[in-house]
Amino acid sequence: MKTLKTLSFLVFTILFIFGCETKPKQITKKSDYDKYLTLIDNKSLTFAQNEIDFWQKKFDAAPNQISYLSQIASNYGTFFEYTGAIKNLYKTEELLTKSNEAYNYSRVATIRSLARNYISQHRFKEALVLADKALAIGEGRKETQKLLFDVQMELGNYRQAAQNLNAIRDMNDFDYLIRLAKWNDHKGDLKTAITFMEKARDIAEKENNKTLKIWSYSNLGDFYGHAGKIQESYNSFLKTLALDPNYSYALKGIAWIVFSKERNTTEANRIINAIAKTHNTPDFYLLKSQIAQFEGNKKEEIKNKNAYFSMMKNNNYGAMYNKYNTLIYADNKQTAQKALTIAKIEVNHRPTPDSSDLLAWAYLNLGQNKKALAIAQNHVIGKSFEPKVQYHLAMIYKANHLIEKVKPIKEELLFSLYELGPNFDKKVNQL
């Protein structure tokens, strides 16, 4: 009897220890970020509104002073950044277009500002036209080459992007380092990408440049997350919020940690709902839909998807959400044809491997397995290392009975489950 009791105790102890070891480590603490969920004011928005009022009065009094328009436009850009309201992005475009027309597209800085606005709108080909125009003028050549790198990366013109990157090479320059980080991330070398982003952060800290620190901390938050360094990711997002308490992107990053790593759906929803009060964009509804799907709450999942499409219908987002729309439509056989139509548009105006992946995925969901494989082989394989793209690739291989090619991708994806999200656990394991 004593032996049996001892054995039972040992079994209990082993199970207890094993349970402790496998339980996910709690990374987030409400006390770290709660204060950022209940902010009453946003100093950046108040400042931007005062600036708009000030410069608008000056322009009304002297309409020939075109330079005032760029000042007003810049502050509407701040409004878009903090609220997500698309009308502010279009207002910025309107003012910058008016300014460029008045200057007859001769001022490089104003041309570049409009190009960056077009990038935000996913109007990449139009942005490239402006960037080339700025380069032809010649003034501020390095700044224009930075812009050209950004546009060429978005368009999938990687050879030209690399040429512009080499043209601005300076290992002590923040702008060069963050682009070098992006280039290495694109090549699938995340470790090197993080190294360069950390070097950029060090420069930002040395110069004590608040804007650059915010930018580098928030981007490192993403990079660390992709590398599975969740604690470092969380710390970086907190550092971002310490500098800018209204930086919703960092809060969204924390919400993802709470959902994907800690599987705390209630808390993740609480954070998202708090962000959406001041920064309301369609993607928040998709995140809430993902959470509901993980909870098995079909009614809530559909409700949030409908709210997403309602917001899309009530606002003109142009091509900004084409990727999301393709993925949503492709998942349903009844709307898969619609996914194909959007994917074709996306490939046309943004011919990147990721866009080709959307096209291949749409064809796969329409049952055209061989067509999906041909697109993937010609335009995707070895050219994009995004986990979702790799998952699509595995599914295309599986549908074409190329099972031996699925196994190595599955092994990679098992390390990317945090980035993919909890709803991919079962999908990846079933590959």
Side-chain angles (χ1 to χ4, degrees):
M1 196 72 178
K2 187 179 178 183
T3 310
L4 190 61
K5 277 184 182 178
T6 307
L7 188 62
S8 299
F9 176 74
L10 282 170
V11 170
F12 171 77
T13 306
I14 291 164
L15 287 172
F16 177 77
I17 292 167
F18 182 75
C20 288
E21 284 178 351
T22 56
K23 188 182 175 186
K25 183 189 170 191
Q26 180 71 25
I27 287 167
T28 66
K29 280 194 294 187
K30 287 183 189 181
S31 57
D32 288 337
Y33 57 81
D34 249 349
K35 58 192 169 191
Y36 305 120
L37 302 180
T38 53
L39 295 170
I40 298 164
D41 65 338
N42 183 332
K43 287 175 183 173
S44 297
L45 284 183
T46 304
F47 180 77
Q49 187 60 63
N50 290 337
E51 286 288 289
I52 289 169
D53 295 342
F54 174 78
W55 291 108
Q56 188 66 55
K57 276 178 192 170
K58 285 179 80 73
F59 180 72
D60 291 343
N64 61 321
Q65 295 296 318
I66 303 302
S67 62
Y68 297 161
L69 291 176
S70 292
Q71 297 286 350
I72 301 166
S74 171
N75 287 288
Y76 274 109
T78 300
F79 261 85
F80 172 69
E81 185 187 336
Y82 282 101
T83 67
I86 195 70
K87 64 178 182 181
N88 294 310
L89 189 63
Y90 294 144
K91 183 66 177 175
T92 305
E93 180 200 348
E94 179 196 319
L95 292 163
L96 289 171
T97 302
K98 195 173 175 181
S99 182
N100 273 301
E101 285 171 352
Y103 289 131
N104 196 26
Y105 286 86
S106 63
R107 295 219 173 177
V108 168
T110 316
I111 295 170
R112 282 198 299 253
S113 294
L114 184 56
R116 294 218 171 273
N117 179 276
Y118 283 163
I119 290 172
S120 296
Q121 292 185 48
H122 287 209
R123 291 162 62 182
F124 303 115
K125 286 184 176 177
E126 290 167 273
L128 180 58
V129 170
L130 289 177
D132 283 338
K133 193 185 284 283
L135 191 70
I137 294 168
E139 177 197 331
R141 191 175 177 84
K142 282 209 166 183
E143 288 305 310
T144 302
Q145 285 172 317
K146 290 171 188 176
L147 169 64
L148 274 164
F149 170 82
D150 298 340
V151 180
Q152 300 288 17
M153 288 296 286
E154 295 292 355
L155 286 168
N157 300 334
Y158 300 121
R159 185 177 59 81
Q160 295 95 321
Q163 286 171 352
N164 282 294
L165 186 63
N166 290 332
I168 62 165
R169 182 180 170 82
D170 179 356
M171 293 302 286
N172 296 311
D173 179 54
F174 179 90
D175 288 348
Y176 171 71
L177 288 168
I178 62 173
R179 285 168 176 83
L180 192 55
K182 185 174 182 176
W183 177 254
N184 279 278
D185 185 40
H186 151 72
K187 291 196 301 179
D189 188 351
L190 183 57
K191 188 179 178 183
T192 303
I194 288 172
T195 300
F196 288 125
M197 190 61 79
E198 287 173 338
K199 285 182 186 295
R201 175 206 59 201
D202 293 345
I203 289 171
E205 288 178 340
K206 189 179 177 183
E207 294 176 1
N208 198 23
N209 185 315
K210 185 180 174 182
T211 304
L212 299 188
K213 282 198 284 185
I214 289 167
W215 201 96
S216 52
Y217 292 155
S218 61
N219 278 273
L220 273 171
D222 275 345
F223 275 14
Y224 286 143
H226 298 166
K229 298 180 175 183
I230 317 301
Q231 184 68 59
E232 288 94 328
S233 174
Y234 179 60
N235 293 343
S236 287
F237 288 136
L238 287 178
K239 280 171 121 178
T240 308
L241 289 164
L243 287 173
D244 186 350
N246 297 99
Y247 204 80
S248 61
Y249 188 83
L251 277 174
K252 189 181 177 185
I254 290 172
W256 185 256
I257 294 170
V258 171
F259 170 49
S260 188
K261 177 68 177 174
E262 298 173 347
R263 310 292 167 101
N264 187 341
T265 55
T266 306
E267 180 62 8
N269 267 320
R270 185 177 81 93
I271 298 169
I272 295 157
N273 290 336
I275 305 168
K277 284 177 186 173
T278 55
H279 186 105
N280 196 17
T281 51
D283 51 293
F284 284 116
Y285 288 114
L286 289 186
L287 183 47
K288 285 172 71 66
S289 182
Q290 274 183 275
I291 292 169
Q293 184 188 349
F294 178 67
E295 290 176 324
N297 189 338
K298 195 72 182 171
K299 187 181 173 185
E300 197 66 21
E301 181 191 344
I302 293 166
K303 179 184 146 190
N304 279 294
K305 264 185 195 166
N306 289 340
Y308 166 82
F309 282 116
S310 175
M311 199 167 179
M312 294 295 292
K313 189 180 175 183
N314 295 330
N315 299 274
N316 174 24
Y317 288 101
M320 291 170 71
Y321 287 89
N322 276 358
K323 180 180 177 180
Y324 293 106
N325 293 339
T326 306
L327 292 172
I328 296 166
Y329 287 137
D331 277 347
N332 187 331
K333 296 292 179 203
Q334 292 175 312
T335 56
Q337 190 63 47
K338 207 182 275 191
L340 180 63
T341 303
I342 300 169
K344 283 179 177 177
I345 294 167
E346 192 69 357
V347 167
N348 180 49
H349 92 263
R350 191 185 195 181
T352 62
D354 286 20
S355 294
S356 293
D357 163 65
L358 292 176
L359 187 63
W361 185 241
Y363 274 121
L364 183 74
N365 283 280
L366 282 165
Q368 297 189 43
N369 302 348
K370 284 193 164 42
K371 194 153 193 175
L373 180 63
I375 292 166
Q377 285 174 330
N378 291 325
H379 304 290
V380 181
I381 297 167
K383 294 172 183 174
S384 175
F385 303 93
E386 289 295 312
K388 205 164 275 186
V389 171
Q390 293 302 305
Y391 171 72
H392 292 166
L393 194 54
M395 290 294 284
I396 290 167
Y397 281 144
K398 191 175 179 181
N400 285 279
H401 310 293
L402 299 167
I403 306 303
E404 73 283 357
K405 290 183 179 291
V406 175
K407 194 183 175 188
I409 298 176
K410 181 178 177 178
E411 287 170 4
E412 286 288 323
L413 289 173
L414 288 169
F415 287 103
S416 303
L417 284 174
Y418 166 78
E419 190 177 342
L420 287 165
N423 293 319
F424 276 83
D425 277 9
K426 196 174 178 182
K427 291 179 182 179
V428 171
N429 280 299
Q430 285 176 344
L431 281 172

